[in-house]
Amino acid sequence: MRMAELVFHTGPMDSGKSTLALQMDHAQSAHDRQGVRYAMHDRSGGARITSRIGLSVEAVEVADALDLYQDVVSRLSRGGRIDYLICDEAQFYRSEQIDQLARVVDDLDIDVYCFGILADFRTELFPGSKRLVELADRVVEPPVAPLCWCGRPATHNARIVDGQMVREGDQVGVGDVGGGTEIHYEVLCRRHHRQGITGETSRATLSEQTLPFDGSES
Ligand SMILES: Nc1ncnc2c1ncn2[C@@H]1O[C@H](COP(=O)(O)OP(=O)(O)O)[C@@H](O)[C@H]1O
Ligand SMILES: Cc1cn([C@H]2C[C@H](O)[C@@H](COP(=O)(O)O)O2)c(=O)[nH]c1=O
């Protein structure tokens, strides 16, 4: 007999996690399986799961105080059927909430699919992700890895504030990849994350090196 499982889909920002979350929800519900979607601090600012390819659906916002096990039990006791949970931005969940999800799998036999980044801009694990790695039946990487500006697979998330890559600050800072806002993120390979060389820095350095003259010549 198939047992329910706790699965953690993890990869850097922009690796297709929310897209996969929505695809899995769609695939499951197409076969009359009933699910509940949870999200926390979605970039849209609402209680939603939002993918950069344009899909977005409503979700239940996970407040810090929410007991996920009790929430599922109370939905079931109101007569609902639940076969699976989709939990996006799971890095932000408290580690106790991940324990509650493991209990949903074990005691209620409900599949739980979590999606989130592993580490923050300082390369430190988020508490929710750490607990997921400790408890999940499976940890899965999305099939399409984003690339660093150098062409290597991007594995690390850099936070850019006013154009500068930073290594200090609050762990939580909701934002998107790409420029245009005061705080944004860029995915880099480990080497360039360690060296602090972003795409913008590399272009500036390259153009300085390739200037045909230093301006003193006429
Ligand atoms: N215009 C586009 N056409 C095709 N793919 C896109 C487009 N814009 C973004 N993507 C892809 O969407 C993915 C990001 O999806 P998303 O689910 O938002 O990522 P994550 O949740 O991991 O941050 C990336 O793999 C990116 O290549
Ligand atoms: C690295 C890093 C990211 N965040 C935020 C930024 C985004 O709102 C989410 C990640 O979303 P995605 O769907 O994976 O793109 O996390 C943060 O708060 N702190 C960080 O260090």
Side-chain angles (χ1 to χ4, degrees):
M1 197 188 91
R2 184 188 169 276
M3 309 280 277
E5 54 179 1
L6 175 63
V7 185
F8 182 31
H9 294 269
T10 187
M13 291 179 70
D14 205 22
S15 59
K17 301 179 299 298
S18 299
T19 309
L20 185 63
L22 296 175
Q23 285 177 317
M24 286 186 65
D25 184 45
H26 177 77
Q28 298 269 339
S29 59
H31 292 285
D32 196 32
R33 278 171 53 91
Q34 312 276 325
V36 182
R37 297 181 296 262
Y38 291 98
M40 193 169 188
H41 302 326
D42 185 67
R43 283 189 314 276
S44 64
R48 305 191 71 78
I49 298 178
T50 309
S51 144
R52 291 185 184 82
I53 61 168
L55 297 169
S56 176
V57 295
E58 282 180 6
V60 178
E61 179 73 14
V62 178
D64 270 351
L66 182 69
D67 182 324
L68 286 160
Y69 180 80
Q70 289 305 333
D71 190 64
V72 171
V73 168
S74 83
R75 284 168 194 277
L76 292 171
S77 63
R78 292 199 298 268
R81 198 184 97 208
I82 304 177
D83 299 302
Y84 66 93
L85 306 183
I86 300 280
C87 302
D88 201 21
E89 307 292 355
Q91 72 272 7
F92 295 138
Y93 297 13
R94 285 184 302 108
S95 57
E96 290 81 359
Q97 289 172 320
I98 304 300
D99 282 73
Q100 292 155 11
L101 291 175
R103 197 168 162 213
V104 167
V105 174
D106 296 342
D107 295 1
L108 305 176
D109 200 28
I110 292 172
D111 286 310
V112 176
Y113 305 114
C114 294
F115 302 82
I117 53 178
L118 202 54
D120 66 16
F121 67 105
R122 302 164 303 183
T123 73
E124 288 175 21
L125 294 176
F126 281 91
S129 308
K130 175 176 180 289
R131 196 68 186 133
L132 271 165
V133 170
E134 289 163 349
L135 292 185
D137 294 294
R138 291 188 291 133
V139 176
V140 183
E141 288 184 41
V144 182
L147 298 180
C148 179
W149 58 266
C150 67
R152 290 191 192 88
T155 45
H156 289 65
N157 307 295
R159 181 180 285 174
I160 318 286
V161 179
D162 291 329
Q164 299 296 317
M165 180 173 162
V166 296
R167 296 189 192 273
E168 285 177 12
D170 292 341
Q171 184 171 54
V172 178
V174 174
D176 207 346
V177 289
T181 47
E182 194 188 329
I183 296 182
H184 65 272
Y185 293 89
E186 181 174 338
V187 289
L188 299 172
C189 65
R190 186 196 58 244
R191 178 180 315 213
H192 288 129
H193 192 281
R194 195 171 49 73
Q195 295 171 342
I197 305 178
T198 63
E200 196 176 324
T201 331
S202 76
R203 283 191 294 277
T205 315
L206 203 63
S207 58
E208 266 169 33
Q209 284 168 357
T210 53
L211 276 177
F213 54 85
D214 64 10
S216 59
E217 294 172 32
S218 55

